[in-house]
Amino acid sequence: MEHLVSSWYNDRSLPESYILPPEDRPGMLSPGKNIPVVDLGAHDQTDILQQILEASQEFGMFQVINHGVPSNVIDEAMSVFKEFHALSAEDKAIETSKDPNKSCYVYTSTHNYATEKFHFWRDGLFHHCNPLEKYIQFWPEKPPKYREVVAIYTAALRKVGFRILEFIAQGLGVNPDHFSSELGENQTLLVNHYPPCPDPSLTLGLGKHRDPVVINILLQSDVYGLEVFKDEEWIGVEPIPYAFVVTLGALMRIISNGKLKGAEHRVVTNSNLVRTTASFALNPFNETLIEPAKALVDASNPALYKSFSYKDFIIKYRAAASYGTAFGEFLSGTPD
Ligand code: OGA
Ligand code: NI
């Protein structure tokens, strides 16, 4: 707990453990490039499907607008997220230690804090969301409106997530509800907090990674920070008010039998603004088997990946020395 960046960033210059090797530091962006923006409110469903499929294949990431989540729901969620991260370290610890099974917790940098070579400039509040009646009792009660507001927010995001997954399933040519049961029903929320950083040129909020999920719906706020790696170049993801950034996760690659890869991305810091973001992820349950969709496998298209449980995936993923980069290795020698 004493490690939370928000508890000490004001008093110090950038500690050495946050200084990344030169090749991993933020650098030049590919000028003038941006990720696609899909209007989910458009009438032509075939057109939406086509845009989502192309963006998924090309970038593994896109933004969505007119997604149906009211702006006041987003505003209220963002304000309780910010209020939570402004609590004292002691309050954060109390508010996240109600579940002995640890379905709710705070952490800093990555899950590998104790062993990682370098740290990242981020604190995170994580909790499970579904089924709500099982998990809400373990969510923070400070700020007082947290539970009420976040219950509404996550229910709305679940709908957006499944709608997008339905488009992706159709685009892939698998059953439209392929994701709507076990593969997406384990929903989690990760509220990231990146305090102002004394030297953004030397460190990152999060290193290059693929999300260990099926799909992630990110509220990135109005402060810049997210970048996606495509064709050996970094592209900045422009903040659009009330839009969500949809990121395909590492599991999508297995389920789609290599047709969709998921996006590699990172977060840069800045020196004067607090940045708070919220990643709502749709995941499989721990025991769910992850494997290439049967409809995509036949004699001429053999399964490229073996099946394994989500739990095994997470254990191996977290054990990987640097967040996300050992993914190819984990898939038994398949190039990443
Ligand atoms: C993440 C992530 C991006 C951001 O939570 O995995 O990549 O902008 N977040 O906070
Ligand atoms: Ni991510």
Side-chain angles (χ1 to χ4, degrees), residues 122 190 192 194 206 209 211 218 226 265 267 275 277 279:
R122 135 3 241 254
L190 170 58
N192 296 302
Y194 309 93
L206 269 182
H209 68 281
D211 296 335
L218 175 85
L226 179 62
H265 54 284
V267 177
R275 182 166 182 267
T277 70
S279 289

Side-chain angles (χ1 to χ4, degrees), residues 51-62 168 248 260:
Q51 286 184 39
I52 288 182
L53 187 66
E54 274 170 29
S56 299
Q57 287 164 333
E58 205 182 329
F59 293 84
M61 188 187 266
F62 51 93
I168 292 175
L248 275 58
L260 301 175

Side-chain angles (χ1 to χ4, degrees), residues 47-77:
D47 192 36
I48 299 178
L49 189 154
Q50 201 52 41
Q51 286 184 39
I52 288 182
L53 187 66
E54 274 170 29
S56 299
Q57 287 164 333
E58 205 182 329
F59 293 84
M61 188 187 266
F62 51 93
Q63 305 211 49
V64 292
I65 54 169
N66 294 322
H67 39 62
V69 183
S71 52
N72 67 308
V73 169
I74 294 178
D75 285 339
E76 283 172 26

